[in-house]
Amino acid sequence: MIPNDVSSSIENCSSFISKCITAKSLKLGNVVHSHLIKTALFAYPFLANGLIDLYSKCGSIVSARKVFHDLPNKNARSWNMLVSFYSKNGLFEDAHKLFDKMPQRNLVSYNSLISGFTRHGFHTESVNLFYEMQNGCDHLVLDEFTLVSIVGSCASLGNLKWLSQVHGVAVILGMGCNMILNNALIDAYGKCSKPKLCFSVFCFMPERDVVSWTSMVVAYTRASRLEEACKVFKDMPVKNTFSWTALITGFAQNGCCGEALDQFQKMLDEGVRPSAQTFVSVLGACADQALIERGKQVHGQIFRRSNSGNLFNVYIFNALIDMYGKCGDQKSAETLFEMSPMRDVVSWNTLITGLAQNGHGEESLDAFTRMIEAKVEPNHVTFLGVLSACSHAGLDNEGLELLDLMERQYGVKPKPDHYALLIDLLGRKNRLKEVVDLIEKAPDGIRNHIAVWGAVLGACRVHGNLDLAIRAAETLFELEPENTARYVMLSNIYAAYGRWVDANRIRKLMKERGLKKEAACSWVELRNVRHEFVAKDKFHPKIAEIYEVNSKLVDNLKDVGYQPYTDFPFLPDEDDDFYFR
């Protein structure tokens, strides 16, 4: 029985601790801690647990650990709170040690560690602990928090078998109608590219919220089933910012950038306020289509809307830098980079890649040096950018050195795309013997990769190494037999050597396999309108004026000595839509 005066003191201290937690005041928490020790109230686990909670939410690991170890009478909540604190902060070694020492584990103990693993990307560890929990703790009844975490881990691992098993467990436990769990299942099946299973879960839900509908939209867009995504979106009883963003992002990620921009305009017309993620997706669509005027308009909208809410986060800055860089306005991209209050590895990668793609190879390498000096760890995207810069600037020796340094100094394992860039660089310098040596020394997964041999074939086309070109083409015909560009390139190389029979043989091989090169397409943005031109297209409303200007340009070129190349090995058939150049 606790005396009334002590009970009153406990109540007052508890109230004060709650206020400290709300204010996240570590200083006042230390004062309360001292008071509890002086008055011997620290021995009450209820108050000590409050201190652990306070220190946890204030991020003070040392103080939270000290309270726990000094507490003479620890209860289950004491253990669980510290395990949860360690897990949320990614201190899994400490969390596991404490978890193993627990005199008795309950559902909260397992949930804390499982959710921590899932949140920090340790999905295999999360699933293993779940199975350990099932096999060794028959007395524990799983709840929705356990299953939601495990469903997320199974989806991230892409393991449909495990996901189906967890779904089955949920049904057996009578949680098949739990809306939160079903929403997680729709998202998980979507990540595993199973929209039919998503729809099955969706149909059997007795109650749905906006998250359920939005998850279905995302599932269909991930599977590139945009018509179904639009139908679900149209049928949604309530649409919010996240729903619109999901549809816009889906269009953009599937290469339907025009539709993404149209949906964005409809979103604005309906008075729905875009989020930072919405603007990131829209800017990505503008970047992919090189629509700089539209991108500038979106930039202006972000600037105006930021007055009533801070939209200018690092993701917005990165998207703007990327948009301006891909549209060729590198000066604006660099200005935004310097203005950015916070730069992450994506910021640096975007700057480095933009400089490389716009022909500023030396400046791109200088930006890489600045990145290292700023102690930002480079990743595989960084090295794609700097190798591209070396290729544009013709810095072959520097490129070889970078490939060597990637894994040895920075711990980044080269991928096929890195080798392809380096092969392209060496090919430009006609160092084809070194290209062959590089491929032969590469790991198996790289030695027979499409990107690598595609780069080899391109280098052979430039420098006319017929034997290596044939080897590269034959390898590519096996790896991707329906890529018409490879056949065309080999035929061009045969033609350049005067081997018309072989050039025609490759052309006939294409016809036998039913392959046809897609007509070339170009576009230009004029007064905020995108004009597309397909090879031999005569359907543009102003085609007469276009041809007239084009003829004048050709005449001007001839006046300064231009001679068109017309030495074709054969005349193309009337139904052909390509020439061998």
Side-chain angles (χ1 to χ4, degrees):
M1 190 76 179
I2 301 175
N4 289 336
D5 57 337
V6 175
S7 177
S8 178
S9 297
I10 291 174
E11 187 176 340
N12 290 335
C13 289
S14 175
S15 175
F16 199 76
I17 290 172
S18 297
K19 291 177 182 178
C20 292
I21 291 172
T22 302
K24 290 189 177 180
S25 176
L26 189 59
K27 187 175 181 181
L28 289 176
N30 290 331
V31 174
V32 179
H33 190 173
S34 300
H35 175 73
L36 293 181
I37 293 174
K38 289 177 183 177
T39 57
L41 292 174
F42 181 77
Y44 290 94
F46 176 73
L47 294 176
N49 290 343
L51 283 175
I52 295 173
D53 190 28
L54 168 64
Y55 286 133
S56 299
K57 287 175 178 171
C58 290
S60 180
I61 298 172
V62 175
S63 298
R65 187 184 289 134
K66 179 171 174 53
V67 172
F68 176 81
H69 288 301
D70 290 347
L71 183 61
N73 300 310
K74 303 176 181 68
N75 59 20
R77 181 170 167 77
S78 312
W79 290 88
N80 287 337
M81 289 182 76
L82 195 58
V83 168
S84 176
F85 177 46
Y86 284 149
S87 298
K88 285 179 180 176
N89 288 277
L91 304 170
F92 292 112
E93 187 175 346
D94 293 327
H96 231 301
K97 284 181 181 178
L98 194 65
F99 183 81
D100 291 339
K101 291 179 182 177
M102 290 183 72
Q104 189 173 2
R105 301 166 191 160
N106 58 21
L107 185 60
V108 176
S109 318
Y110 278 97
N111 281 353
S112 297
L113 200 51
I114 287 171
S115 64
F117 278 136
T118 301
R119 191 180 301 110
H120 287 85
F122 296 96
H123 302 295
T124 303
E125 292 81 352
S126 177
V127 173
N128 289 340
L129 187 60
F130 172 71
Y131 280 117
E132 178 188 318
M133 174 187 177
Q134 278 194 302
N135 295 329
C137 305
D138 296 333
H139 63 284
L140 295 181
V141 179
L142 306 179
D143 64 8
E144 66 182 65
F145 301 106
T146 321
L147 294 174
V148 166
S149 293
I150 292 303
V151 162
S153 286
C154 292
S156 296
L157 292 169
N159 196 316
L160 185 61
K161 181 180 178 182
W162 289 355
L163 179 58
S164 300
Q165 289 174 352
V166 175
H167 189 180
V169 169
V171 173
I172 291 170
L173 293 174
M175 285 190 277
C177 296
N178 186 291
M179 187 166 63
I180 295 174
L181 179 57
N182 280 326
N183 288 345
L185 283 167
I186 293 172
D187 180 67
Y189 281 127
K191 287 178 179 176
C192 292
S193 301
K194 295 294 178 182
K196 285 186 178 179
L197 294 177
C198 296
F199 188 66
S200 177
V201 174
F202 181 79
C203 287
F204 283 101
M205 290 178 70
E207 184 182 1
R208 306 178 188 119
D209 61 5
V210 69
V211 176
S212 317
W213 289 89
T214 304
S215 297
M216 276 305 308
V217 171
V218 173
Y220 279 130
T221 57
R222 279 180 179 147
S224 300
R225 293 168 61 170
L226 299 179
E227 287 187 15
E228 289 98 326
C230 288
K231 186 178 184 307
V232 171
F233 182 80
K234 184 179 178 181
D235 293 340
M236 286 181 71
V238 178
K239 301 179 180 71
N240 61 13
T241 299
F242 299 105
S243 315
W244 282 98
T245 302
L247 187 64
I248 291 167
T249 304
F251 275 121
Q253 290 177 344
N254 281 279
C256 302
C257 298
E259 290 86 344
L261 294 173
D262 291 342
Q263 291 298 330
F264 176 64
Q265 188 58 53
K266 288 180 183 178
M267 178 184 183
L268 296 178
D269 293 342
E270 294 196 14
V272 181
R273 186 178 183 83
S275 66
Q277 180 56 47
T278 317
F279 283 118
V280 167
S281 295
V282 172
L283 287 169
C286 294
D288 288 342
Q289 296 294 302
L291 299 174
I292 190 166
E293 292 303 322
R294 190 67 180 270
K296 286 178 179 179
Q297 291 175 9
V298 176
H299 188 177
Q301 289 171 336
I302 296 169
F303 185 80
R304 289 191 296 274
R305 291 174 185 273
S306 66
N307 295 328
S308 56
N310 185 19
L311 282 172
F312 276 106
N313 57 30
V314 67
Y315 305 107
I316 289 285
F317 270 102
N318 291 347
L320 284 167
I321 295 165
D322 179 60
M323 186 274 293
Y324 280 112
K326 285 181 177 176
C327 292
D329 187 356
Q330 190 58 36
K331 186 176 180 180
S332 295
E334 291 179 63
T335 301
L336 282 161
F337 178 82
E338 299 301 335
M339 286 172 56
S340 181
M342 179 182 175
R343 299 167 191 156
D344 59 8
V345 65
V346 177
S347 314
W348 287 99
N349 288 350
T350 307
L351 177 68
I352 289 167
T353 304
L355 286 166
Q357 290 176 344
N358 284 288
H360 306 293
E362 297 283 358
E363 292 89 337
S364 180
L365 294 175
D366 290 340
F368 175 68
T369 302
R370 285 177 60 197
M371 177 183 180
I372 300 301
E373 290 172 350
K375 301 191 184 306
V376 178
E377 284 292 320
N379 57 21
H380 71 281
V381 178
T382 315
F383 286 100
L384 286 176
V386 291
L387 285 171
S388 177
C390 290
S391 183
H392 284 293
L395 304 171
D396 44 341
N397 291 325
E398 288 83 351
L400 286 165
E401 185 180 351
L402 278 167
L403 188 74
D404 179 58
L405 288 176
M406 276 180 66
E407 191 166 10
R408 183 165 54 84
Q409 184 169 331
Y410 299 105
V412 180
K413 192 172 182 179
K415 295 185 177 183
D417 287 341
H418 297 107
Y419 275 86
L421 280 169
L422 188 56
I423 288 168
D424 178 69
L425 171 57
L426 294 174
R428 289 170 188 256
K429 295 283 186 170
N430 201 14
R431 297 171 65 173
L432 295 178
K433 185 178 183 303
E434 289 171 83
V435 164
V436 175
D437 292 340
L438 185 68
I439 293 173
E440 289 177 350
K441 292 177 183 177
D444 290 338
I446 291 173
R447 196 179 303 135
N448 293 312
H449 197 276
I450 293 169
V452 170
W453 286 104
V456 173
L457 186 59
C460 293
R461 183 181 68 84
V462 174
H463 294 290
N465 188 318
L466 183 60
D467 292 336
L468 185 56
I470 293 171
R471 178 185 170 188
E474 289 176 348
T475 304
L476 288 167
F477 291 165
E478 292 180 9
L479 294 173
E480 46 173 6
E482 296 188 0
N483 188 330
T484 57
R486 312 303 188 189
Y487 295 85
V488 173
M489 192 175 291
L490 181 60
S491 182
N492 289 343
I493 294 171
Y494 275 131
Y497 271 83
R499 293 176 57 168
W500 315 126
V501 174
D502 289 319
N504 278 296
R505 177 174 57 82
I506 297 298
R507 182 170 178 249
K508 288 178 181 177
L509 182 62
M510 286 181 65
K511 286 190 173 182
E512 289 171 3
R513 296 183 177 181
L515 303 176
K516 198 173 184 182
K517 184 178 181 294
E518 291 185 10
C521 175
S522 303
W523 65 82
V524 63
E525 184 185 4
L526 182 64
R527 297 193 183 109
N528 210 25
V529 177
R530 184 171 180 263
H531 298 268
E532 289 189 5
F533 300 94
V534 180
K536 299 185 180 181
D537 180 19
K538 295 184 179 179
F539 295 103
H540 193 279
K542 294 191 177 183
I543 196 66
E545 294 95 319
I546 292 169
Y547 273 115
E548 183 180 349
V549 173
N550 187 60
S551 296
K552 290 179 180 179
L553 290 173
V554 172
D555 290 339
N556 291 336
L557 286 169
K558 289 180 178 178
D559 289 342
V560 294
Y562 168 71
Q563 293 292 327
Y565 177 72
T566 58
D567 188 16
F568 292 105
F570 49 79
L571 289 174
D573 296 336
E574 289 183 0
D575 61 341
D576 285 342
D577 66 345
F578 65 90
Y579 291 87
F580 293 104
R581 289 179 285 276

